[in-house]
């Protein structure tokens, strides 16, 4: 099972490689990728340095480099996505991760040797949808949205025409990826249109007599007591009023952690596990990758007696939103 | 300009659904999209019941389209989508690439709903090659985007693709594995007691300052205010839009449709209780101007 790790910049990429990533995924410095944040991502020059680093991995093993061109090409600037695809082909990246059918179509026709992975943003959750992308664009792998239960993942893996990659750890999208525009409803920008969810430009932090208030597009997302850690105002994790009761009506601030599921994912034939977090620091990437590497190696040497170590779980909990983790949709009661 | 009625997004008792569509049959609506698109656990009506409604509407002169489930997780859901695609009688609106796959394979021309991510003419071209005959603009795209897409379609030589715009109703914004209605009632999804049936127009969710934000509708999250760009019919017509979609959350939708028909007939933009229209203007969808 390939460990696929995030890098928003060169130091994070080095941290991922040095701590045992099998593959690292990056994005270019524009709206063609779903983590389009200021100061993040790779210019052409930086992408070449990234390639050099993965090719000369000091640990001796070849690390693969994937590039996400996984937003929806907009009518205003379709050629930008085309250029991003051409760059991936020129660089000889190990995979292009894409969601938009026009991007996939262009890539498969113009660069037939380019290895295509279907991004989670394509919202492909079932065998027929995967078949569509496989038949039309020859995708080799798909990243599954975080909406399927473990049982559903296992069944899909039996029938899927392509390799499957699932999310292992990181921020938890509550909604089916590629099918959530809560962000643009409040800010005008969504992952699909701008590669951004709850963009920083729309965020406000205010200290008030009622405590710390976080706002998005002027709307109150949450209010924190002095003894609470204020979280980033993401629409799905705010405290709202429903039927007269204020609560985390959609989800609590929490991160996905599937370390416990490593044996099941292996047995299901899942090809890769993905760590979320291109927006995270090199130190975060280093620690998460190190723990996951250790856990996967541990399973591979002791497949019958694998158990999660407490130090892995507490190490990951410290790096999680609200210091708590969940199995998310993998676990049916969560749904 | 055709007026269409989108699939019913809420869970109503069977009797109410049947009565509602009997009234739709007598309305000025040209085309009706039918079927459960939100949650497969909503089984007040089976496929045969929907087909009976479809036949009744067709007999009254309506064009009928069957609309498929949007978020497909279980194999049973996938086989249901396959059955709808193979109905052999009515056109199908695909709300997921699974339906696109079945329809393409069978060589059946199809329609895409607003949750199929088509953001450019180039993307439309790909599906046009496989049989796309009509598409519904993703709800977050603006009029400026639509104009760009339409002119690019012409450059690509695509002249027979019909465009429909979601013009009235709560906007579908997100789909999840989790059921928020069940969560609100402190139930799990697997034992949800079909509680969606208790809220015929969903459950309002507001900020702690009382601003309407979203509407909870099972696994779907809708906008908190009703989107309304009906007054834009003339610019849409000039831009080549063929149909405007209304999405109902009560029988009042029929009154809105009749008022709208009158407004178009008299060449006026109409007088409505304003809702949100930000997306159409290229702003946050919640905005109202």
């Amino acid at each position: 099972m390939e460990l696929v790790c995030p890098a928003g910049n060169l130091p994070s990429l080095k941290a991922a490689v040095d701590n045992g990533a099998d593959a690292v995924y990056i994005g270019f410095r524009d709206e063609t990728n779903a983590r389009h944040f200021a100061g993040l991502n790779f210019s052409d020059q930086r992408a070449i340095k990234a390639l050099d680093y993965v090719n000369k991995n000091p640990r001796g093993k070849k690390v693969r480099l994937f590039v996400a061109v996984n937003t929806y090409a907009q009518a205003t600037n379709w050629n930008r996505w085309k250029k991003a695809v051409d760059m991936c082909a020129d660089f000889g990246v190990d995979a292009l991760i894409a969601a938009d059918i026009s991007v996939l179509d262009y890539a498969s026709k113009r660069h037939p040797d380019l290895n295509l992975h279907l991004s989670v943003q394509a919202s492909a959750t079932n065998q027929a949808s995967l078949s569509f992308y496989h038949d039309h664009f020859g995708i080799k792998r798909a990243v599954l949205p975080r909406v399927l239960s473990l049982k559903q993942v296992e069944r899909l893996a039996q029938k899927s025409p392509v390799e499957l990659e699932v999310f292992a750890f990181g921020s938890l999208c509550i909604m089916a990826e590629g099918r959530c525009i809560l962000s643009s409803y409040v800010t005008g920008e969504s992952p699909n249109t701008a590669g951004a969810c709850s963009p920083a430009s729309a965020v406000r932090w205010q200290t008030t007599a009622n405590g710390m208030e976080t706002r998005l597009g002027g709307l109150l997302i949450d209010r924190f007591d002095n003894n609470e850690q204020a979280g980033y105002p993401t629409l799905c994790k705010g405290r709202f009023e429903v039927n007269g009761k204020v609560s985390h009506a959609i989800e609590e601030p929490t991160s996905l952690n599937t370390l416990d599921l490593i044996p099941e994912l292996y047995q299901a034939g899942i090809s890769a596990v993905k760590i979320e977090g291109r927006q995270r620091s090199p130190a975060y990437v280093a620690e998460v990758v190190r723990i996951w590497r250790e856990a996967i190696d541990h399973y591979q040497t002791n497949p019958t007696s694998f158990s999660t170590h407490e130090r892995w779980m507490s190490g990951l909990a410290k790096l999680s939103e609200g210091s708590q983790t969940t199995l998310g949709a993998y676990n049916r009661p969560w749904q | 300009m055709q007026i269409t009625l989108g699939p019913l997004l809420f869970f109503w008792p069977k009797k109410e659904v049947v009565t509602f569509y009997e009234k739709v049959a007598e309305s000025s609506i040209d085309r009706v999209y039918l079927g459960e698109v939100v949650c497969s656990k909503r089984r007040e009506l089976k496929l045969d019941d929907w087909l009976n409604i479809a036949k009744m509407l067709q007999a009254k002169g309506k064009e009928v389209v069957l609309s498929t489930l949007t978020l497909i997780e279980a194999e049973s859901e996938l086989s249901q989508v396959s059955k709808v695609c193979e109905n052999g009688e009515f056109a199908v609106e695909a709300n997921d690439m699974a339906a696109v796959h079945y329809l393409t394979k069978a060589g059946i021309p199809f329609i895409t709903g607003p949750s199929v991510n088509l953001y450019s003419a180039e993307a439309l071209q790909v599906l046009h090659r496989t049989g796309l005959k009509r598409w519904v603009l993703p709800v977050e795209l603006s009029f400026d985007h639509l104009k760009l897409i339409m002119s690019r379609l012409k450059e690509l030589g695509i002249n027979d693709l019909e465009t429909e715009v979601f013009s009235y109703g709560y906007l579908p914004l997100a789909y999840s594995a989790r059921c928020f209605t069940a969560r609100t009632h402190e139930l799990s999804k697997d034992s949800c007691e079909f509680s969606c049936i208790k809220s015929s127009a969903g459950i309002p969710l507001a900020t702690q300052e009382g601003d309407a934000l979203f509407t909870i509708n099972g696994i779907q999250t809708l906008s908190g205010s009703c989107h309304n760009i009906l007054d834009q019919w003339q610019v849409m017509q000039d831009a080549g839009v063929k149909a405007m979609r209304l999405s109902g959350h009560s029988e009042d939708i029929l009154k809105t449709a009749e008022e709208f028909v009158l407004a178009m007939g008299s060449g006026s933009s109409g007088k409505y209780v304003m809702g949100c229209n930000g997306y159409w203007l290229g702003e946050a969808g919640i905005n109202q101007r």
Side-chain angles (χ1 to χ4, degrees):
Chain A
M1 213 157 54
E2 191 174 39
L3 181 60
V4 182
C5 305
N9 52 36
L10 205 51
S12 290
L13 178 126
K14 289 178 179 171
V17 172
D18 296 352
N19 284 282
D22 295 314
V24 181
Y25 64 103
I26 65 170
F28 293 129
R29 192 164 274 184
D30 59 23
E31 70 270 36
T32 59
N33 79 90
R35 290 287 183 280
H36 178 219
F37 300 139
L40 209 63
N41 297 316
F42 289 72
S43 64
D44 311 13
Q45 295 301 320
R46 282 284 174 173
I48 291 168
K49 286 198 173 149
L51 265 174
D52 278 352
Y53 199 82
V54 296
N55 288 333
K56 290 182 206 144
N57 174 18
R59 296 172 83 241
K61 190 189 59 161
K62 156 91 175 134
V63 173
R64 302 209 291 166
L65 186 72
F66 303 163
V67 178
V69 181
N70 62 341
T71 46
Y72 286 87
Q74 302 294 303
T76 40
N77 205 357
W78 191 79
N79 282 329
R80 194 182 277 268
W81 277 262
K82 195 169 139 183
K83 195 180 138 223
V85 171
D86 292 340
M87 260 163 56
C88 289
D90 290 349
F91 290 160
V93 301
D94 296 294
L96 164 68
I97 309 169
D100 185 332
I101 55 173
S102 67
V103 174
L104 290 161
D105 187 62
Y106 174 77
S108 64
K109 289 203 168 105
R110 175 61 71 90
H111 308 289
D113 295 333
L114 196 52
N115 182 29
L116 298 180
H117 289 184
L118 187 67
S119 167
V120 70
Q121 296 301 123
S123 331
T125 55
N126 57 76
Q127 189 245 332
S129 173
L130 292 171
S131 295
F132 177 82
Y133 292 100
H134 175 254
D135 294 355
H136 287 82
F137 316 116
I139 60 158
K140 299 282 197 312
R141 179 185 286 183
V143 186
L144 294 182
R146 281 159 276 191
V147 295
L148 301 179
S149 66
L150 179 62
K151 211 172 186 176
Q152 287 164 344
V153 170
E154 288 168 343
R155 294 194 59 103
L156 186 55
Q158 288 169 11
K159 294 187 172 178
S160 171
V162 297
E163 290 180 0
L164 297 180
E165 178 174 318
V166 300
F167 274 90
F169 183 82
S171 286
L172 178 65
C173 271
I174 311 307
M175 308 300 180
E177 295 90 334
R179 283 193 170 153
C180 176
I181 56 170
L182 298 185
S183 176
S184 68
Y185 182 63
V186 169
T187 72
E189 292 188 4
S190 77
N192 286 1
T193 55
C197 172
S198 311
S201 57
V203 170
R204 257 181 28 227
W205 305 79
Q206 280 177 313
T207 314
T208 72
N210 297 323
M212 169 68 86
E213 291 181 350
T214 57
R215 289 176 184 274
L216 192 70
L219 293 170
L220 182 64
I221 304 303
D222 210 341
R223 189 179 276 151
F224 300 89
D225 290 342
N226 291 333
N227 58 356
E228 286 180 304
Q229 173 99 37
Y232 191 86
T234 315
L235 284 159
C236 55
K237 290 171 186 162
R239 268 179 287 203
F240 302 115
E241 190 186 320
V242 179
N243 289 342
K245 198 178 137 198
V246 173
S247 69
H248 290 106
I250 302 176
E251 175 59 312
E252 293 157 27
T254 181
S255 290
L256 178 75
N257 181 14
T258 65
L259 207 69
D260 277 334
L261 303 181
I262 286 176
E264 285 84 354
L265 296 174
Y266 254 99
Q267 279 147 30
I270 296 301
S271 301
V273 286
K274 176 171 228 140
I275 311 286
E276 183 276 347
R278 283 189 283 138
Q279 72 284 18
R280 302 287 190 165
S281 69
Y284 172 98
V285 172
E287 185 63 1
V288 176
V289 174
R290 188 187 62 73
I291 292 171
W292 270 84
R293 178 78 275 154
E294 199 181 322
I296 290 174
D297 288 349
H298 182 72
Y299 174 79
Q300 283 178 316
T301 37
N302 318 282
T304 49
S305 62
F306 175 83
S307 65
T308 46
H309 290 186
E310 183 43 41
R311 67 170 192 281
W312 298 337
M313 297 308 267
S314 59
L316 292 173
K318 274 185 213 148
L319 299 165
S320 300
E321 279 183 68
S323 299
Q324 54 178 345
T325 64
T326 171
L327 284 172
Y330 290 107
N331 177 32
R332 273 205 86 90
W334 177 92
Q335 302 188 6
Chain B
M1 182 69 71
Q2 288 180 308
I3 305 172
T4 77
L5 181 64
L8 179 63
L9 302 178
F10 303 97
F11 189 35
W12 294 356
K14 181 177 175 181
K15 210 174 141 202
E16 284 178 32
V17 173
V18 172
T19 311
F20 173 64
Y21 283 109
E22 280 166 1
K23 291 179 186 168
V24 171
E26 308 301 328
S27 74
S28 305
I29 289 162
D30 300 297
R31 180 163 59 238
V32 185
Y33 293 82
L34 292 178
E36 177 55 50
V37 301
V38 176
C39 178
S40 63
K41 292 182 74 177
R42 297 174 175 180
R43 291 185 206 119
E44 280 282 299
L45 285 89
K46 312 258 182 328
L47 180 57
D48 281 345
D49 298 317
W50 286 115
L51 287 169
N52 287 337
I53 294 174
K55 284 169 193 157
M56 178 274 292
L57 287 165
Q58 196 177 44
K60 293 277 187 175
K62 305 293 179 203
E63 184 187 340
V64 177
V65 179
L66 302 181
S67 200
T68 65
L69 191 69
T70 308
L71 178 60
I72 303 163
E73 293 161 341
E75 287 177 358
S76 54
E77 295 167 347
L78 191 57
S79 73
Q80 189 64 19
V81 170
S82 162
K83 271 185 207 154
V84 174
C85 293
E86 290 162 6
N87 80 85
E89 192 174 354
F90 297 99
V92 176
E93 172 175 78
N95 290 311
D96 181 84
M97 282 307 198
V100 172
H101 174 71
Y102 291 132
L103 294 160
T104 299
K105 276 272 215 203
I108 302 168
F110 61 95
I111 299 140
T112 50
S115 65
V116 173
N117 288 335
L118 296 167
Y119 283 83
S120 67
E122 285 78 0
L124 287 163
Q125 185 182 33
V126 176
L127 286 195
H128 184 255
R129 287 200 297 263
T130 74
L132 180 69
K133 63 172 186 174
R134 186 188 310 124
W135 70 300
V136 182
L137 181 75
V139 300
E140 66 174 335
L141 288 186
S142 67
F143 180 48
D144 285 343
H145 268 87
L146 176 63
K147 281 189 289 191
L148 276 175
I149 292 172
M150 303 283 266
S151 73
R152 181 74 183 131
L153 279 174
K154 270 188 202 146
E155 284 171 23
L156 294 171
I158 298 171
N159 300 309
D160 58 348
L161 183 62
E162 286 182 25
T163 301
E164 180 166 325
V165 176
F166 191 107
S167 303
Y168 183 93
Y170 289 113
L171 294 162
L173 300 179
Y175 299 83
S176 177
R178 173 175 273 178
C179 176
F180 305 111
T181 300
R183 183 173 169 88
T184 297
H185 294 295
E186 294 176 3
L187 298 167
S188 74
K189 185 164 91 172
D190 282 343
S191 44
C192 68
E193 298 172 9
F194 310 104
S195 42
C196 284
I197 212 156
K198 293 180 199 154
S199 4
S200 63
I203 304 171
L205 178 154
T207 70
Q208 291 180 50
E209 291 176 325
D211 293 308
L213 185 57
F214 300 131
T215 302
I216 289 171
N217 179 36
I219 62 123
Q220 184 185 51
T221 307
L222 296 157
S223 59
S225 16
C226 182
H227 168 75
N228 185 352
I229 51 171
L230 292 175
D231 63 343
Q232 298 293 300
W233 69 268
Q234 261 160 333
V235 293
M236 284 195 213
Q237 188 163 279
D238 294 345
V241 171
K242 288 279 183 279
M244 290 170 74
R245 172 174 294 201
L246 281 64
S247 181
H249 46 275
S250 76
E251 281 192 4
D252 287 351
I253 194 70
L254 299 174
K255 216 174 108 201
T256 305
E258 297 316 310
E259 284 167 10
F260 180 47
V261 169
L262 281 175
M264 282 204 298
S266 66
S268 86
S269 52
K271 281 189 185 142
Y272 308 98
V273 178
M274 278 303 292
C276 57
N277 58 357
Y279 277 139
W280 185 247
L281 304 172
E283 302 172 5
I286 196 170
N287 289 358
Q288 181 178 327
R289 286 182 203 280

